[in-house]
Each structure stands twice: as structure tokens, then as C-alpha cells.
Amino acid sequence: ADVFQQANGVAWVATSDGLIRYDTRVNPGPREWPALVRRVTARDLTTFYGGATGLTGMNGLDLVLPIKRVRGLRFEFAAVLFDRPGRTQYQTRLLGSEDETWGPWTEERVAQFIGIREGTYTFQVRGRNDIGQVSTTATFKLRILPPWYRTWWAYTLYLLALLGAIWAFTAWRLHEARLRLEAARARNQRIQRLGERLRDANTRLRRAEKLKDDLLDNTSHELRTPLTAILGFSEMLLFEAGDAYRDLAEGIQRGGQRLLATVDGMLDMFALQSGTVATFNETVDAARVVRESVAHLAPLAAARGLAFAVLPETLEVPAAMDRSVLERVLAHVVGNAIKFTEAGSVTVLVDATERDVVISVLDTGIGIPAHLTEAVFKPFEQASTGFARSHEGNGLGLAIVRGLVGVVGGTVTVESVVGEGTAVRMVLPRWGAMGASERRAAAAADNPALGGAQLLAVGIGEHVDELRAWIGARGNVCDAVTPGQAVREAKKLAYDAVFVAEATPEAEAKRVALIRKVPGYAGTPVLRVSTEALGQAELEARGFSHQVLLPLDADAVVTLLEALLMTVEEAVDD
């Protein structure tokens, strides 16, 4: 290098980097000297700051960067010191980070930071020369902006979305509650009408029941009183009258006994149907009761030339049973076996298990056709019927047997071969049947099912007048010309049934769907009015529950409506 010395002590030094002025008169003692941030770059060396920037001073910041451009920061720095600059050491720190303490003194002129998140940071650097003098601290302020989904306006949108979801959920719940209330209103209307019809029906049933009770009581009294006298006088004639009148007296007695048996049978059937048969269990020897019960029938079997036996003869079966029920069913079954057996035998077999007493009555009589083995258990049913029947009787015997056996919790079955004989098998609980005497049989009565009925007709035209004529004062029929009008009417009142006129399959399905959407109409009967019947699958596919055909038949329509309106499951939605 070339050096030029002035007389005043100033030296000029020419170097490849330029001209250096050195003043020997300046005191080389302690002095301030700055540290500078020369460059700020990303890890991929993208330059954000190159020593001079127009961004300096923006809200007090030197640099503002979006976080997506930051994958770590690299700071380059230096110190303005001409005296042995190679020995200068530097110390850095980044305020705003997790560790804000000064780092160690090193000769590195680069500091790197990775994993920086959004926020405001201040980078500081200072130098120290070889004699321990520390420079001023250089400061570089920057802000890392968050991603858009963590900005204040994004959080505002999140809040608005949450509030919207809460509002929508609340509105949905309110809508569902309103639908439930409307459905409950519809159910209550139908239940109220159904209750009125049931109260009316109960009134009629009680009146009919009383009339039946009075009729049976009067009939029983009016028949039993003269029958007692007839049987008494016939018995006196048998003992006191001569041979000339004996046949007449026996005929009177047989006729009286037959009529008395018929009255007793009718009273037994009434008791069974009304559920008034009372049972009383007592400790008995069931086998002995069987032998004693049928003993009085042995002479009748002998008179017909039949072999008659109760087997095994010495069996003992301790049990807790209703003795009268056992005696009555045996009288009917064994009596029938003797009556319908012309030749051969009648055998009563007794057996028992831990739980049951099993009684089988076997005969070699005329038998019962296979298709009648169940029919004979119905009241007034016999294998032979009409005036040409071969055996007398009213057909109540086996019906009473099944009823009495059922009351005590047992079963009775029949197996028979025509021309070979019949086997009646009864299985009775050995130790009683809890609550069996509480059974109630169904009773028929005039049922005012249409009382207060509310019907909605959709587009069926002149047929509305027919419905109104049939329903009469017992109900009401609302005529809706269009589906829209039908929906409005359905929202006002919970109708018991809806009649919809036939149309194209698509139109029918749409009309029914509109009705079904009204709260409370999900299970309401919707009837298709048409000239041609649909198959059940196609009918249900269009949304209908039933169908009525044109021309309308009064009996068929009224019967169907009575069945629908008196069925709680269909009259009231679940």
C-alpha cells in the first residue's frame, strides 16, 4: 500500500478498497462504535433486508413478513471498527422468542433462528473488540404475520359461524318442538273422540249385558221351576203308575232331563263367556274323583252293551284341583263317548306327572271327520247337524269342556278316525292354575264407532255427498278440492281418516306425501278412492293404507271406517 504523511500528523493510506485517512492526533482511548445489521434473509437465502430499506419506520418496525414466507430467519451483522476487525466478537439475542437472554460471544457474523411463529420480535446484536470495548447495540424490529385462518377477521368468522350454528340448532329444535306439539294436539283430538266413542260403546255394552243377564235369569227361573215339577211328577208316575203309563212317564222324564241339561249348558256357556266361573282348589285324589264321577254312567254304558272301565283301577293321584270342574268335564266327555258308541267299549285312562293330571277318554264309536275336530269345540256345533242328525244334543258339551278346562289352565285335544273311534285327551294342572278364573271372554255389542268421526276428502267430487249421507249426524266430512287445501284443513284439525281420489301414480304419491308431512298424520289411515283395485305392495308404495272402490258401497265403507276408528293403534299416532 502507498502511504502519504502530512506534517500535521495525518497519514493517507491507499489500498485496493479505497483511501484511508489516519489521524495520529486523535486519542485512541475508549470511544463509542456501532454494530450494524447488514442483511436479513430466509433460510433459502431469500433477502428481506439488504442494509437499507424503505420499510424502516412502518409503525416502528423494520420489516413485516407473512408467516408463509418465513421458514427461519438469518441475520448478518458487522461492527464499524478498523482496528483489528478480525478479532471482533459478537453477541446476539431475539426478544419475543422463548429464550430472550444474550447468547455467548463468538466471532460468527451470522445468527439463525428456526421455528419462528407469528408475533413481534426484536433482534439485537453488539460487538466487542480485542481490548474489551463493547459497541452500541444494533436493533432490528420485525413482525411475523399469522396465517389467514388465525387472523382476527378469521376468528370473527368463526364466531359468526358458531353463532349461526347455535341459531340454526335452536331454530331446528324449536321447529321440532312445534311439530311435536302439533302432533300431540292431533293425537289428543283423536283420543278425545275415541274416548267419547268408547264411553258410548261401554254404555251400550252395559245396557246389553244387563238385558242379557236379566234374560238369562228370567229364562233360568221360568224354565227350572216347571222342569223341577215335571221331573218330580214323572218320577212319581214311574213308581206309582201302572205299566200302561210307565212308557209315558219315562218319556216325560227323558224329555225333562234333556231340557234341563240344555238349560244348564246354556247357563254354563254364559258363565264362561262372561268370565264369572269361579274355581276353588281343594286337596283331592284326582284318580278317585274320576272313578266316582263316571260311576253313574256305567249303567248307561251297560244298557247299550258297551264295555266300560276306568284304568288303572287302584291308582292314586294326590292333587289340588277344583273337584266340580273335573266332574263336569268328565260328565260331558264320557257321556258323549257313550252316546256316540254303538258297539265296543269306552275306556277312561288316568295318568299324572309332577305338574299335570292327564285324562284320556277312548271310545270305539262313529268317529269325527278330520275337518271337524276343532269345530266340535264351538257352541252348537256337532258332527251331524240338521233334522237328519243321528244323535240328540245341543252341541254345547265339548264347548263347555274346553271352556272349563281353559279356566283352570289346562288343554283339551281330540284325535279321531271315522268308523274307528275317538280319543279325547285332557291335561289339567295338578296343583291348580293361578288366576285362571279371572279370564274374560269377548262380548259382541252394537258399536257406535263413527260417533264424532272427522273425515277429510280430497278431490273425490260428488262422492262426498254419499259419505256425508252415510256418516250422518255421527260425524263430519270435510271436502277439499285441491291437495293444498287438504293440507291447510289437516293443519287445522286432526282428521281420523283421509279419502284421496285416484290419479296418476306420481300425483297420488305426491298427494299422500303432503298429507303425511302434516304433524300427527304419520299413522293416519289414508284411503284410495278408485275404480280399480291395486295390489297391496303398490298401494303401500304410493303411501296409502287402504282402498275403497267405486261405486261406493255403504256397508263396506262404514264397516271399514268402524274398524279403523275403533283401532287405537291406527286412530292415534305413536
Side-chain angles (χ1 to χ4, degrees):
D2 295 330
V3 180
F4 173 72
Q5 179 74 37
Q6 289 181 299
N8 59 2
V10 175
W12 295 87
V13 181
T15 67
S16 60
D17 292 331
L19 187 62
I20 299 175
R21 179 179 180 275
Y22 182 72
D23 190 351
T24 60
R25 297 171 299 175
V26 176
N27 184 6
R31 65 188 183 280
E32 289 188 356
W33 49 284
L36 302 174
V37 177
R38 298 180 57 204
R39 182 180 299 171
V40 179
T41 62
R43 293 183 66 186
D44 59 1
L45 300 183
T46 301
T47 300
F48 301 133
Y49 172 76
T53 176
L55 297 177
T56 304
M58 289 182 59
N59 298 322
L61 301 172
D62 295 290
L63 191 60
V64 178
L65 295 172
I67 194 169
K68 67 180 181 179
R69 297 186 60 189
V70 177
R71 296 294 184 270
L73 288 176
R74 186 172 183 271
F75 294 88
E76 298 180 18
F77 42 82
V80 183
L81 185 64
F82 298 102
D83 186 13
R84 294 183 292 277
R87 297 184 180 182
T88 303
Q89 294 181 324
Y90 300 92
Q91 191 178 38
T92 62
R93 67 177 177 180
L94 185 64
L95 300 178
S97 63
E98 294 181 358
D99 185 6
E100 296 185 345
T101 59
W102 285 101
W105 291 99
T106 67
E107 294 181 357
E108 291 291 332
R109 297 185 182 185
V110 176
Q112 298 189 68
F113 300 93
I114 60 175
I116 297 178
R117 298 178 59 82
E118 66 267 19
T120 301
Y121 299 92
T122 300
F123 174 74
Q124 292 183 337
V125 58
R126 60 188 179 185
R128 185 178 67 179
N129 61 18
D130 59 341
I131 61 174
Q133 293 177 327
V134 178
S135 70
T136 58
T137 300
T139 301
F140 189 92
K141 296 182 178 180
L142 72 158
R143 177 183 295 167
I144 308 299
L145 299 178
W148 67 268
Y149 52 84
R150 287 208 294 265
T151 57
W152 66 269
W153 56 267
Y155 287 118
T156 302
L157 289 177
Y158 300 154
L159 178 60
L160 292 176
L162 177 61
L163 293 176
I166 293 175
W167 175 86
F169 178 74
T170 303
W172 174 75
R173 290 299 301 270
L174 290 175
H175 176 70
E176 290 293 314
R178 181 179 62 82
L179 293 180
R180 286 194 295 271
L181 287 175
E182 292 179 359
R185 177 184 62 83
R187 286 195 298 271
N188 290 336
Q189 289 179 352
R190 295 195 183 104
I191 290 173
Q192 183 177 1
R193 290 199 295 271
L194 182 62
E196 292 173 354
R197 291 196 290 269
L198 288 174
R199 284 192 293 272
D200 193 4
N202 287 334
T203 300
R204 296 193 179 196
L205 281 173
R206 284 192 294 269
R207 185 162 60 247
E209 192 73 17
K210 186 176 185 304
L211 289 174
K212 184 174 71 173
D213 291 346
D214 293 343
L215 176 63
L216 286 172
D217 288 342
N218 292 334
T219 301
S220 174
H221 175 74
E222 294 299 326
L223 289 176
R224 282 180 179 274
T225 300
L227 278 174
T228 301
I230 291 171
L231 291 174
F233 288 137
S234 65
E235 188 173 354
M236 292 177 59
L237 285 174
L238 284 175
F239 286 103
E240 297 181 6
D243 294 338
Y245 297 100
R246 182 173 299 279
D247 292 340
L248 180 62
E250 289 178 349
I252 294 172
Q253 190 172 51
R254 285 196 302 270
Q257 289 175 344
R258 180 177 175 183
L259 183 57
L260 182 61
T262 300
V263 173
D264 289 339
M266 292 179 65
L267 292 176
D268 284 343
M269 284 303 303
F270 166 70
L272 288 169
Q273 291 181 347
S274 62
T276 57
V277 176
T279 60
F280 175 74
N281 293 329
E282 57 181 309
T283 302
V284 296
D285 180 351
R288 181 177 179 181
V289 172
V290 172
R291 290 191 291 270
E292 292 176 352
S293 298
V294 301
H296 70 282
L297 296 174
L300 179 61
R304 296 177 64 89
L306 303 176
F308 183 77
V310 179
L311 303 175
E313 297 180 353
T314 59
L315 179 67
E316 295 183 0
V317 182
M321 306 176 68
D322 188 300
R323 182 187 184 101
S324 65
V325 169
L326 183 57
E327 290 174 344
R328 288 151 71 185
V329 299
L330 284 170
H332 285 294
V333 175
V334 178
N336 274 356
I338 295 173
K339 179 169 64 174
F340 291 100
T341 302
E342 299 294 337
S345 64
V346 175
T347 306
V348 181
L349 302 179
V350 183
D351 196 3
T353 66
E354 289 293 329
R355 298 176 54 185
D356 301 311
V357 175
V358 183
I359 303 172
S360 300
V361 179
L362 313 178
D363 65 59
T364 58
I366 61 176
I368 303 172
H371 67 282
L372 293 177
T373 53
E374 279 299 315
V376 294
F377 287 107
K378 297 179 181 179
F380 307 106
E381 291 284 347
Q382 290 184 320
S384 59
T385 59
F387 292 107
R389 65 188 183 184
S390 57
H391 297 82
E392 65 181 28
N394 53 30
L396 292 176
L398 289 181
I400 294 173
V401 168
R402 173 163 282 186
L404 291 174
V405 170
V407 164
V408 298
T411 61
V412 56
T413 56
V414 171
E415 295 181 4
S416 184
V417 178
V418 175
E420 295 185 12
T422 302
V424 179
R425 185 173 186 266
M426 294 175 288
V427 179
L428 305 175
R430 185 172 179 177
W431 305 108
M434 297 298 293
S437 61
E438 301 295 328
R439 296 189 177 187
R440 295 292 183 268
D446 181 18
N447 198 343
L450 299 182
Q454 296 291 337
L455 307 179
L456 177 62
V458 185
I460 66 173
E462 67 276 7
H463 301 295
V464 173
D465 295 332
E466 295 181 66
L467 287 178
R468 285 175 176 157
W470 300 336
I471 300 302
R474 294 177 292 179
N476 177 59
V477 180
C478 177
D479 183 16
V481 178
T482 65
Q485 182 184 357
V487 170
R488 289 192 295 272
E489 294 295 335
K491 290 180 178 179
K492 296 177 184 177
L493 180 67
Y495 289 93
D496 297 302
V498 181
F499 290 81
V500 178
E502 65 177 327
T504 63
E506 296 77 10
E508 288 181 356
K510 184 177 180 180
R511 291 175 183 178
V512 178
L514 289 174
I515 295 295
R516 295 292 188 199
K517 287 181 180 179
V518 178
Y521 281 81
T524 301
V526 179
L527 292 75
R528 180 177 184 262
V529 182
S530 62
T531 56
E532 296 183 2
L534 292 178
Q536 189 62 30
E538 179 63 20
L539 189 71
E540 294 177 355
R542 300 186 191 184
F544 294 100
S545 57
H546 302 81
Q547 60 185 337
V548 292
L549 298 180
L550 296 173
L552 295 178
D553 179 81
D555 291 337
V557 173
V558 172
T559 300
L560 176 59
L561 287 175
E562 287 179 345
L564 293 177
L565 300 187
M566 288 305 292
T567 303
V568 176
E569 290 79 6
E570 293 186 1
V572 181
D573 294 338
D574 291 334

